[in-house]
Amino acid sequence: MSEDATLQIDIEGWEGPLDLLLALARNQKVDLRAISILELVEQYLGYVNHARALRLELAADYLVMAAWLAYLKSALLLPRNPEETPSPEELALRLQLRLERLNAMREAGARLVARDRLGRDVFVRGAPDGLKVVRKGRYEAEIYDLIAAYGRISARTRPVMHVVAQRDVMTLEEAIDRVSALIGARIEWSTIETFLPDGASGTYRKSALASSFVAALELARQGRLELRQQSAFAPLYLKATA
């Protein structure tokens, strides 16, 4: 083995670089049956011990080559099933493609490492200047937009006066007094409409009916009258308790 990083093989049946032996074996220009795998392994181990001070990754490549040579030789010596095991030529081609791919990845990694680094090869500017932005407003509006804006502002600032309309209603106290006075004179079931004032109409009749209903509930709670209703939305009947 020479002193450079190339793995030179000197065994029975071959003398020269390992990669050349692999290329000739792929093209079937060398008889692998005459190659001693034992001598190949011994020379490779000696190369690995020497490559510790050189390029260990190159020794790894040669290990792959030697392993493939051993596999190719075993494929020649042992019976092969064509349906399950690929041919030695195909295996050698796969090895070549994988080595080319590995070499491409190493070259790409070397290019990445060799790029200029910030702070070592290139430097940023010490005091970068800021960009001055000049903004000028431009307003566009039509007569409708102006009138609408004035209306919104005027509505917010205009004083608001809330006037409660005078409505004729019956208070709850008046309804309780009226139902209490009338229920004592009734001994039979009577509808709640009979407790409304005579001649009540419109909104006052609705208010008197609502107040009379609440008054009937309050008097029923006190135990002074009874309520009865046959079904939902049916007439409501009232009667004094015995």
Side-chain angles (χ1 to χ4, degrees):
M1 183 175 60
S2 60
E3 294 299 324
D4 57 4
T6 304
L7 176 55
Q8 299 288 337
I9 302 299
D10 185 8
I11 58 179
E12 182 180 357
W14 175 258
E15 181 179 357
L18 177 60
D19 51 353
L20 179 59
L21 173 60
L22 181 61
L24 294 177
R26 184 181 69 249
N27 298 326
Q28 297 183 357
K29 294 182 178 181
V30 65
D31 188 7
L32 290 179
R33 296 181 179 88
I35 301 299
S36 176
I37 298 299
L38 178 59
E39 296 180 6
L40 176 63
V41 172
E42 291 177 350
Q43 293 192 21
Y44 175 76
L45 293 178
Y47 175 81
V48 170
N49 293 329
H50 177 71
R52 292 177 179 177
L54 298 176
R55 297 175 58 188
L56 189 59
E57 66 275 5
L58 185 60
D61 294 342
Y62 285 135
L63 174 60
V64 176
M65 297 179 187
W68 274 89
L69 281 174
Y71 184 78
L72 290 176
K73 182 174 181 179
S74 64
L76 293 174
L77 298 177
L78 299 176
R80 180 177 63 88
N81 187 357
E83 298 180 356
E84 298 179 359
T85 306
S87 63
E89 295 79 5
E90 183 179 354
L91 293 176
L93 182 59
R94 291 181 183 180
L95 173 62
Q96 181 181 0
L97 294 177
R98 291 182 181 179
L99 291 177
E100 291 178 356
R101 184 182 302 173
L102 177 61
N103 187 36
M105 289 189 293
R106 286 178 176 173
E107 291 180 358
R111 288 195 299 268
L112 290 176
V113 174
R115 292 179 59 186
D116 294 338
R117 297 177 61 180
L118 184 64
R120 187 189 67 179
D121 304 307
V122 294
F123 303 91
V124 297
R125 184 175 178 181
D129 294 335
L131 298 178
K132 184 178 180 181
V133 180
V134 179
R135 293 186 176 88
K136 295 182 179 180
R138 180 180 178 182
Y139 301 96
E140 295 182 358
E142 298 181 356
I143 185 63
Y144 174 79
D145 300 327
L146 297 177
I147 295 176
Y150 173 77
R152 289 192 296 268
I153 297 175
S154 178
R156 290 197 303 265
T157 58
R158 185 184 302 115
V160 179
M161 181 178 298
H162 180 69
V163 178
V164 179
Q166 182 69 25
R167 294 186 301 174
D168 190 10
V169 296
M170 175 181 288
T171 63
L172 180 59
E173 290 76 8
E174 295 177 357
I176 292 176
D177 295 339
R178 180 176 180 82
V179 173
S180 299
L182 295 177
I183 197 65
R186 306 289 178 89
I187 60 175
E188 300 294 338
W189 290 100
S190 303
T191 60
I192 193 173
E193 286 79 3
T194 59
F195 295 87
L196 301 181
D198 297 335
S201 61
T203 56
Y204 181 73
R205 176 179 176 82
K206 296 179 180 179
S207 173
L209 180 60
S211 299
S212 299
F213 174 71
V214 177
L217 294 178
E218 176 62 23
L219 294 176
R221 186 185 66 83
Q222 297 176 6
R224 299 172 57 183
L225 58 82
E226 297 179 4
L227 300 175
R228 186 180 67 177
Q229 190 177 29
Q230 298 295 335
S231 61
F233 304 105
L236 181 63
Y237 291 88
L238 284 69
K239 187 182 73 169
T241 55

